[in-house]
Amino acid sequence: MTAVQLDNIWKRFPGVIANAGASLTVEAGSVHAVLGENGAGKTTLMNVLAGVYRPDEGTVRLDGIERHFAKPSDAIAAGVGMVYQEFRLIPTFTVTENVALGAAPAVLSKSALEKQVSELAERFGLQTDPGREVWQLSMGERQRVEILKALWRDARVLILDEPTAVLTPDEAAELGRITAAMAAEGRSIIFISHKLDEVKTFCDEATVLRGGKTVASSLSVDDLDAGRMAELMVGEATAVSQRRVRSRPIGDPVMDVQDMVVHDVHGRAVVAGVSIAVAEGEIVGIAGVAGNGQRPLADAIAGLTPTTSGRVQVGTHDLSQLNPRSRNEHGLAYVPEDRIGVGLAPRMNAVDNSILRTYRTLGDGPFIDRGAAEERTTDLIDRYNIKVGRVDEPLAGLSGGNLQRLLVGRELDDDPVALIAAQPTRGLDVQGVKAIQDILVEQAASGVGILLISEDLEELFALSDRLLVMHEGSVVAEFNPDSATRAEVGAAMAGAGGH
Amino acid sequence: MFGLRLAKRENPIRGGQFLAFTVGLLVALLIGAVLLVVAGHSPLDIYTTMADAAFGDPQAWSTTLNQAVPLGLAGLAVAVAGSMGLWNIGAEGQIIAGAIAGSWVARLGPDLAGPILIPLMILAAVVGGALLALGPALARAHLGVNEIITTLMLNEVAIRIVRYLVNGPWKDPASIGFPVAPELPDQAALPTLFERANIAVIIAAAVLAVFGYFAARSKWGFELRVAGSSEKAAEYVGISLKRKILTVLVLSGAIAGLVGGLRLGSTDRIVEGIAEGWGFAGIIVAALALMRPSGVAAVALAFGALRVGGVAIKGQGVPASISEIIQAIVLLGALGAAVFTTYRIDRAGSGSTSTEAATA
């Protein structure tokens, strides 16, 4: 029985064709993966199914009946629910209030409503507390509230947009059980993902999009492997990632972090005594599931977060007491996880962002030498192949890859001694990832010591000289990427202990 | 749902603010013309009267400039804070604080010569405005207390203080019951520049030029814009947010205080209504200038001319309400048109908002 059938969907935006004849067929009672690079058209296609967009051409059928959704509520009424990456919940409302909002019976007591919500949650094994306010919940719990919202509206088709991106491994496994329970009731789940392993674990079939078109439909996940998936998504049989060939011997230590301890606002030790040394020309990789202390560690080394104790040395300088600016001036560059909003100032233009680190030295006295600033910008644009419309327009129009090349380029512009690169390729397309990885390799070859924090194991295996694993604020294991296996590293990430 | 909706432009129109202001002005004048015709007036005559009253001869210019000075400086006070994302809603109170401080100096040294007394009064006014802003600045910088609330509430405090002074200790015994302070010494009046304009025009022009250039070109102005764009980005490059918030809000108060000092030098005494709503009008000016200190002067001049023209047509038999409606439509038109520099109208369902496009 076919639950969803999208045929020959076209959707054009100004300057972009997001869907160019995409198709998708999902069987009732199955978990169906939709795979594709960033910009492949996955989210647009899902928004067509969810009634957010009307397709320019093509048909949408649910259970064989052709549908024309004018607005999202039409799709919801027809049984399509969507859980977006950014949750749409009201933080100060309780779980029950969020679930029933706009879809509650006219007269019903609060406790009766809460009871109904918890019954629904139990039916699908969704652990939640209906009386709690949403702001108190973890990301995984919030996601369960979103799923409950869809189930409350009796969604027959549930779309999950990269649902595991915000989850811990345990929560991800839990999600797998929930989707299985829903599929067992005959509901269909559409699971958007980039990650092969979770597709193979959670899904029955997979459809791959590329350039707005469907390039493979309803493949059995058993037929997918890393090479096949990359080939379908990228369009050519590229090797997943080439292991970096080191061009120089590892030198003396350039960055030394000792016994770093960071407490968060709740008094929890989010970094619990981490020591890391990075040598000249070395890339030290840090693997770990998101939220295990990588971000506060990077912020603490860069001086952005107050530390409880610990020491940071770059070259021969002790930076522990210095502010972020002085640390940078002593040769510590930082590509933060949040490109826009931390590494780059969103409402300012490319020139302003290019000189964010160096404006104090551009021009004598109180004024900035605009000529020198523009020269620096065009220089960065040329060297790092950044595509900008006009340098004097806000950054908002730039693609992720261009933004990241601007940020990385600017950080490397002053010949740093050491670089912290946090999730430097996350969210970029294949070309963008390669461009950034090439820059990192080149910088290591010229002697920069790099601390590479990533959630992409392939990237870490390809680039790192040493691979550390963080779990619950500590470095729990160290591996040699040439001899370690993915499974070993994965086990350490999950907290199973290293060696 | 209704067939049309606003969608964010991927690339805002360049130079759009000036274009929007002009288009908004024209549209508003057209709507105003319709109103005038309905009320039995010739729009052309009325608009000519307005233009003449604002720019027709030196006296008209001086009247317009007298409006533009407090508008521009109050607008600058709001825009300086606004360029780093802070809202000083308390310019009105800071103007009063400035006027109180200036009056106090004049009371202390009534026999000082003008060239000494006037600078002292202005300096005191600047300090007075800054002091009123200091509390909100400290609370915001160190405790994160919302500056909108604190600056707004201090307006009331300033109004009560001036009311107390002119009804109590500073009350002019010769005023026969009117709540006004005694006249300032003659030499406290600002020297005349031409016609009705005094040297406040020069002072305001200089302050606006210096701050406009400084905000746009200096390292200090750059840091303000970084902090206004993203606090985290400011921390990342080592800009001390606390110090910036503190200095910017106090500076904003100081500029508003200057308005109070200049008002005092352009009138004969301090009264309860010394601020006359200039502080609130400054918010409109700053908003129209998109919080850019360099754009404030032009907006203030246009706004000042509109006010002068609006008053002039009342003499032509145009009801005061229509005159005020025209002024309001022009402002709405300019503000409304600004929306279209960053948004466009789409058929519903066919377009995308920025967030949708970003995830598409």
Side-chain angles (χ1 to χ4, degrees):
Chain A
M1 173 83 185
T2 303
V4 175
Q5 197 176 352
L6 300 174
D7 273 321
N8 191 32
I9 301 288
W10 285 77
K11 182 67 193 171
R12 300 173 188 85
F13 296 106
V16 185
I17 301 177
N19 284 162
S23 307
L24 173 67
T25 305
V26 179
E27 298 301 320
S30 77
V31 183
H32 194 108
V34 174
L35 297 165
E37 278 199 88
N38 287 298
K42 305 183 296 276
T43 303
T44 304
L45 189 64
M46 291 307 108
N47 276 325
V48 166
L49 177 56
V52 177
Y53 298 146
R54 271 184 288 191
D56 299 330
E57 285 172 46
T59 53
V60 176
R61 284 193 186 84
L62 293 180
D63 298 325
I65 303 160
E66 192 169 336
R67 303 280 191 164
H68 299 276
F69 299 139
K71 49 186 185 291
S73 54
D74 294 349
I76 291 169
V80 178
M82 181 149 176
V83 176
Y84 291 87
Q85 283 184 57
E86 280 140 27
F87 300 146
R88 300 177 174 195
L89 299 170
I90 300 171
T92 53
F93 278 22
T94 65
V95 170
T96 302
E97 286 164 344
N98 269 287
V99 167
L101 188 67
V107 182
L108 196 60
S109 77
K110 196 175 162 190
S111 58
L113 205 56
E114 269 181 15
K115 192 154 165 286
Q116 287 190 5
V117 169
S118 54
E119 279 168 9
L120 183 70
E122 268 165 38
R123 194 166 120 209
F124 294 95
L126 286 151
Q127 291 170 17
T128 185
D129 179 350
R132 285 235 287 178
E133 291 182 3
V134 161
W135 61 269
Q136 298 172 304
L137 305 181
S138 73
M139 294 309 267
E141 290 171 298
R142 288 178 202 201
Q143 186 179 63
R144 294 202 281 276
V145 178
E146 283 280 13
I147 293 171
L148 262 181
K149 254 169 75 179
L151 290 171
W152 182 259
R153 288 157 180 78
D154 199 25
R156 307 290 306 159
V157 177
L158 182 69
I159 306 163
L160 303 172
D161 192 359
E162 297 194 32
T164 56
V166 296
L167 300 184
T168 65
D170 282 351
E171 286 175 330
E174 180 69 35
L175 177 67
R177 283 191 287 277
I178 295 163
T179 54
M182 290 171 61
E185 280 199 354
R187 296 171 204 266
S188 309
I189 294 93
I190 299 175
F191 196 103
I192 301 179
S193 180
H194 296 297
K195 297 180 196 159
L196 179 67
D197 54 344
E198 64 186 37
V199 167
K200 287 183 80 87
T201 317
F202 298 150
C203 304
D204 305 313
E205 290 182 327
T207 291
V208 184
L209 297 185
R210 184 172 74 231
K213 296 185 184 72
T214 301
V215 291
S217 55
S218 302
L219 291 173
S220 164
V221 292
D222 299 332
D223 297 338
L224 272 180
D225 59 39
R228 174 93 174 115
M229 182 168 135
E231 184 188 327
L232 284 168
M233 283 168 60
V234 184
E236 56 199 60
T238 50
V240 172
S241 269
Q242 290 285 337
R243 174 88 179 109
R244 173 169 72 109
V245 180
R246 195 162 54 232
S247 60
R248 58 184 289 157
I250 287 175
D252 298 328
V254 289
M255 180 167 83
D256 193 13
V257 176
Q258 277 184 5
D259 302 317
M260 182 70 79
V261 177
V262 179
H263 287 87
D264 67 6
V265 287
H266 307 296
R268 210 165 53 101
V270 284
V271 177
V274 169
S275 299
I276 299 170
V278 183
E280 187 181 325
E282 187 185 29
I283 299 183
V284 174
I286 295 190
V289 176
N292 276 281
Q294 301 96 315
R295 179 199 288 252
L297 174 67
D299 280 352
I301 299 173
L304 285 176
T305 235
T307 58
T308 309
S309 61
R311 226 171 74 89
V312 178
Q313 188 172 327
V314 167
T316 55
H317 304 281
D318 183 350
L319 306 186
S320 312
Q321 303 304 319
L322 301 181
N323 69 20
R325 179 203 307 185
S326 306
R327 292 186 196 212
N328 181 247
E329 285 163 359
H330 281 100
L332 176 62
Y334 180 26
V335 174
E337 193 174 326
D338 293 326
R339 285 157 215 162
I340 291 267
V342 179
L344 299 167
R347 285 195 302 244
M348 300 180 86
N349 61 35
V351 177
D352 291 337
N353 274 288
S354 301
I355 62 169
L356 214 48
R357 287 288 199 188
T358 46
Y359 68 90
R360 292 179 187 87
T361 58
L362 292 177
D364 302 323
F367 295 105
I368 292 173
D369 180 343
R370 296 306 290 188
E374 271 162 39
E375 206 171 293
R376 203 168 258 259
T377 311
T378 39
D379 184 48
L380 276 184
I381 287 173
D382 287 347
R383 259 193 300 151
Y384 293 98
N385 191 26
I386 302 160
K387 296 194 179 54
V388 288
R390 300 180 57 116
V391 292
D392 55 355
E393 270 169 7
L395 287 184
L398 260 61
S399 75
N402 282 310
L403 287 171
Q404 188 69 336
R405 285 200 290 281
L406 177 64
L407 171 56
V408 171
R410 186 196 69 208
E411 286 303 292
L412 296 170
D413 202 29
D414 279 339
D415 299 325
V417 178
L419 168 72
I420 309 165
Q423 317 295 352
T425 60
R426 182 154 78 188
L428 304 186
D429 62 19
V430 168
Q431 278 83 18
V433 168
K434 183 158 188 324
I436 296 296
Q437 290 180 344
D438 286 350
I439 295 171
L440 295 179
V441 168
E442 188 188 296
Q443 288 293 319
S446 69
V448 178
I450 299 176
L451 186 63
L452 172 63
I453 300 173
S454 179
E455 279 158 27
D456 182 345
L457 271 190
E458 293 303 328
E459 173 170 283
L460 290 167
F461 268 97
L463 298 185
S464 310
D465 294 305
R466 288 188 293 137
L467 181 49
L468 311 181
V469 176
M470 275 189 87
H471 181 72
E472 291 181 350
S474 300
V475 172
V476 292
E478 175 170 344
F479 297 95
N480 176 350
D482 289 322
S483 54
T485 65
R486 310 288 190 270
E488 286 171 328
V489 177
M493 286 167 65
H499 344 184
Chain B
M1 193 178 292
F2 301 106
L4 294 173
R5 68 174 177 186
L6 282 178
K8 198 156 192 160
R9 288 181 195 273
E10 275 142 50
N11 295 307
I13 298 177
R14 287 185 50 73
Q17 185 60 12
F18 180 74
L19 191 73
F21 199 81
T22 314
V23 172
L25 198 71
L26 289 176
V27 170
L29 290 178
L30 266 174
I31 297 172
V34 173
L35 280 175
L36 287 168
V37 168
V38 170
H41 295 275
S42 153
L44 204 60
D45 287 351
I46 297 297
Y47 287 153
T48 310
T49 306
M50 287 180 77
D52 277 346
F55 300 119
D57 53 35
Q59 194 194 324
W61 270 97
S62 70
T63 315
T64 300
L65 285 171
N66 278 346
Q67 296 275 322
V69 164
L71 284 173
L73 288 177
L76 178 67
V78 178
V80 162
S83 61
M84 80 166 284
L86 297 171
W87 283 95
N88 177 12
I89 309 295
E92 187 80 1
Q94 291 142 14
I95 292 171
I96 295 173
I100 292 173
S103 296
W104 180 63
V105 165
R107 290 173 70 85
L108 285 182
D111 301 324
L112 290 172
I116 297 171
L117 181 59
I118 290 172
L120 280 179
M121 284 172 63
I122 289 178
L123 186 68
V126 168
V127 173
L131 279 178
L132 196 65
L134 183 62
L138 284 168
R140 171 64 210 252
H142 293 288
L143 304 171
V145 177
N146 187 328
E147 78 284 357
I148 299 177
I149 315 262
T150 49
T151 54
L152 180 66
M153 291 196 306
L154 281 177
N155 287 334
E156 291 302 315
V157 173
I159 288 168
R160 299 302 142 95
I161 291 174
V162 73
R163 183 176 297 166
Y164 164 71
L165 287 174
V166 299
N167 280 294
W170 285 9
K171 187 172 178 190
D172 183 1
S175 70
I176 332 164
F178 285 108
V180 293
E183 278 191 23
L184 296 168
D186 288 343
Q187 76 276 19
L190 293 173
T192 301
L193 188 64
F194 71 100
E195 298 291 341
R196 295 173 185 172
N198 59 34
I199 59 162
V201 173
I202 306 278
I203 296 171
V207 170
L208 282 165
V210 166
F211 274 101
Y213 189 77
F214 227 74
R217 287 277 177 265
S218 73
K219 294 168 188 176
W220 177 81
F222 183 82
E223 290 178 350
L224 285 197
R225 283 183 286 127
V226 174
S229 181
S230 161
E231 289 192 0
K232 287 207 172 123
E235 277 172 4
Y236 167 80
V237 293
I239 296 169
S240 165
L241 271 178
K242 280 183 183 175
R243 200 189 308 161
K244 273 270 160 330
I245 290 169
L246 202 63
T247 50
V248 161
L249 276 179
V250 169
L251 180 67
S252 176
I255 297 169
L258 173 64
V259 177
L262 296 179
R263 293 302 303 153
L264 205 59
S266 311
T267 172
D268 55 357
R269 62 177 100 207
I270 187 167
V271 295
E272 202 182 307
I274 184 84
E276 285 185 338
W278 295 114
F280 296 120
I283 298 170
I284 300 173
V285 171
L288 281 170
L290 293 185
M291 296 298 167
R292 286 191 200 120
S294 54
V296 163
V299 174
L301 193 66
F303 196 4
L306 186 65
R307 282 191 164 193
V308 172
V311 172
I313 57 175
K314 289 180 193 168
Q316 294 258 313
V318 177
S321 55
I322 290 201
S323 162
E324 273 153 30
I325 288 170
I326 291 175
Q327 291 184 50
I329 292 175
V330 170
L331 287 177
L332 274 179
L335 276 172
V339 168
F340 294 103
T341 63
T342 39
Y343 292 86
R344 62 192 153 76
I345 291 181
D346 264 354
R347 269 189 304 123
S350 70
S352 66
T353 67
S354 61
T355 44
E356 284 161 0
T359 54

